[in-house]
Every structure is written in C-alpha cells, then in structure tokens.
C-alpha cells in the first residue's frame, strides 16, 4: 500500500508595520501581533546584530 502525502496547510499573514506579506506552515496564535524581521530591527536598532555588508545590501535594495 502506498503512503499518501499529507498536504501542508499554508497560512498567509501580513506585517502590521511594513505591510509585507509572508507565509508559514503553522497557524499563529495572535496574527495581529506578528511583525517582519525588518520591522523588528527598525523598532529595536540596538539589537541589530547582522553583519554590516547585509545592512548595506538591504539599504541599497530598498532604494
């Protein structure tokens, strides 16, 4: 007997700050409280531990 693949449900959420849409395979308990990584670092610049080259690339891509 062949095994059937389970179809994963995809949940789509929108960041309340940047408006960016992203998708996950798990349902969020509080979808209104979700924010993107970019929004988190904008709110907490002192915790931004990314390398400088990544920060420069993101600034250039945002325009």
């Amino acid at each position: 007997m062949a095994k059937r693949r389970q179809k994963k449900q995809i949940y789509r959420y929108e960041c309340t700050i940047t408006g960016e849409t992203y998708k996950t395979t798990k349902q969020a308990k509080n979808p209104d409280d979700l924010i993107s990584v970019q929004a988190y670092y904008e709110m907490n610049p002192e915790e931004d531990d990314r390398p400088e080259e990544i920060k420069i690339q993101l600034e250039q891509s945002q325009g």
Side-chain angles (χ1 to χ4, degrees):
M1 212 189 236
K3 289 186 178 181
R4 289 184 150 202
R5 283 189 172 181
Q6 288 183 345
K7 186 174 181 181
K8 287 190 177 184
Q9 176 131 5
I10 297 192
Y11 300 93
R12 296 183 192 279
Y13 297 108
E14 187 172 320
C15 176
T16 56
I17 297 172
T18 61
E20 181 181 352
T21 303
Y22 49 93
K23 57 186 177 179
T24 65
T25 56
K26 291 188 178 184
Q27 188 173 12
K29 293 179 184 177
N30 299 320
D32 295 334
D33 294 340
L34 296 176
I35 59 172
S36 65
V37 173
Q38 176 186 353
Y40 177 80
Y41 284 137
E42 285 178 8
M43 291 174 49
N44 303 302
E46 67 279 354
E47 295 183 19
D48 191 355
D49 58 352
R50 298 175 289 182
E52 286 297 320
E53 58 193 35
I54 300 296
K55 293 178 189 178
I56 293 171
Q57 287 176 354
L58 291 172
E59 288 177 5
Q60 291 175 351
S61 67
Q62 290 178 356

